[in-house]
Amino acid sequence: MEEKSKDAIVLFIKFGSEENIKSLYENGLIYLNTIDYFQNLEDNGVRGDKFEGTVNIKNFKHTDEFKLEITDTITGEKMNFKPGKLQLRHYDSNPKGNLYSLYCIKQSDFLNTDEFIIDSKVKEFGTHALFIRNTKIFIDKLTDEITKLNMPYKAKPIEYYEPENINGEINLFQKIQQYKYQSEYRVVVKNNKQEPLKILIGSLKEHSEMFAMNSLNDLKIIANKIKL
């Protein structure tokens, strides 16, 4: 299900290759890769997230109570040391499901300013971008097609957290603070098969505009407020 929020989403942006963005623009082709794919993706932290699939984090503040022992399995030699800090993370070793992510700009982003500047790091996501202005129609089309597949889903913006300041369960709608610049809206589909999903929702030409990333110099969004 899509979670309703008082903080309305005013714009979706999808970044990618020219081929993929053009296919989304003209045909509405949406590709949802597996959770496992993103968990193991090695791209210097651009899309891959080493915390993806984390289900629980435990930070130990009083590390003087702990001693770690390392054993050389060949010689049997043991080494002991006390850690300066200790964090345990538990992962889902066999995550099942598919993810689809969009950059989202929310109403609250303009509470104290008329300008919203998109972090230039998003240019690492691809060469082209699709600006989807009718966000409700887009999500309705996507979730309608997922419903036809009889697959449970959930869709909402990501919450960002500091991994050193959290203790407890983590879900797929939480990511570490270093990825906040991605301003991610995520769709998670439960799928017992470890395979990507391809969904067609039809042309988005009436609801979006396609741009080459090198034409977006400062990636600045201006809100012109209407005076009543």
Side-chain angles (χ1 to χ4, degrees):
M1 66 175 182
E2 180 191 2
E3 285 202 3
K4 303 298 180 183
S5 172
K6 293 180 181 179
D7 192 5
I9 295 172
V10 297
L11 185 69
F12 279 137
I13 307 175
K14 184 64 179 178
F15 303 103
S17 67
E18 180 177 9
E19 179 184 1
N20 290 343
I21 296 301
K22 187 175 182 181
S23 183
L24 176 61
Y25 177 62
E26 294 182 348
N27 307 308
L29 178 60
I30 293 175
Y31 189 86
L32 297 89
N33 222 320
T34 62
I35 298 171
D36 178 73
Y37 169 82
F38 291 105
Q39 188 173 330
N40 295 297
L41 182 63
E42 295 183 3
D43 61 354
N44 295 320
V46 177
R47 290 179 300 159
D49 178 2
K50 64 181 180 180
F51 280 78
E52 196 74 80
T54 302
V55 294
N56 193 284
I57 292 178
K58 175 67 175 177
N59 285 290
F60 295 89
K61 297 188 181 299
H62 303 290
T63 55
D64 55 326
E65 300 174 2
F66 293 90
K67 182 177 71 173
L68 300 183
E69 182 180 87
I70 300 176
T71 302
D72 186 323
T73 57
I74 296 176
T75 65
E77 182 181 355
K78 297 182 183 297
M79 295 174 286
N80 296 300
F81 70 95
K82 288 188 175 182
K85 61 180 180 179
L86 181 62
Q87 181 186 87
L88 296 181
R89 300 199 298 264
H90 298 280
Y91 291 89
D92 182 351
S93 59
N94 186 31
K96 292 183 179 179
N98 300 79
L99 303 180
Y100 187 72
S101 298
L102 297 146
Y103 189 101
C104 72
I105 298 175
K106 302 182 288 294
Q107 205 169 49
S108 62
D109 293 323
F110 298 98
L111 283 179
N112 302 310
T113 181
D114 292 335
E115 294 184 358
F116 180 85
I117 298 177
I118 301 172
D119 195 302
S120 61
K121 288 197 290 288
V122 301
K123 291 184 177 181
E124 298 174 342
F125 292 146
T127 59
H128 287 69
L130 189 67
F131 282 57
I132 305 169
R133 58 183 183 276
N134 199 323
T135 59
K136 185 178 186 308
I137 283 181
F138 176 82
I139 286 297
D140 285 349
K141 283 176 173 285
L142 174 56
T143 55
D144 283 349
E145 292 302 317
I146 295 172
T147 300
K148 290 176 184 177
L149 296 173
N150 198 29
M151 289 181 166
Y153 72 89
K154 196 171 185 179
K156 66 174 186 174
I158 289 290
E159 298 175 9
Y160 297 91
Y161 67 91
E162 291 287 357
E164 293 81 14
N165 299 327
I166 194 167
N167 283 289
E169 293 184 357
I170 303 296
N171 61 56
L172 288 168
F173 292 95
Q174 293 173 288
K175 293 184 73 171
I176 59 175
Q177 192 73 14
Q178 81 176 72
Y179 293 108
K180 190 174 182 179
Y181 75 92
Q182 297 176 357
S183 191
E184 184 179 347
Y185 183 96
R186 176 174 282 189
V187 181
V188 178
V189 180
K190 289 186 178 180
N191 185 0
N192 290 326
K193 297 179 180 179
Q194 284 282 25
E195 61 185 26
L197 288 176
K198 288 184 179 181
I199 294 176
L200 274 173
I201 64 171
S203 173
L204 295 175
K205 289 183 177 181
E206 292 184 16
H207 312 294
S208 63
E209 281 81 36
M210 181 175 169
F211 297 93
M213 291 291 281
N214 58 14
S215 70
L216 304 174
N217 296 323
D218 54 9
L219 297 176
K220 182 189 297 181
I221 308 295
I222 307 292
N224 295 315
K225 296 178 182 177
I226 299 173
K227 295 181 180 180
L228 299 177

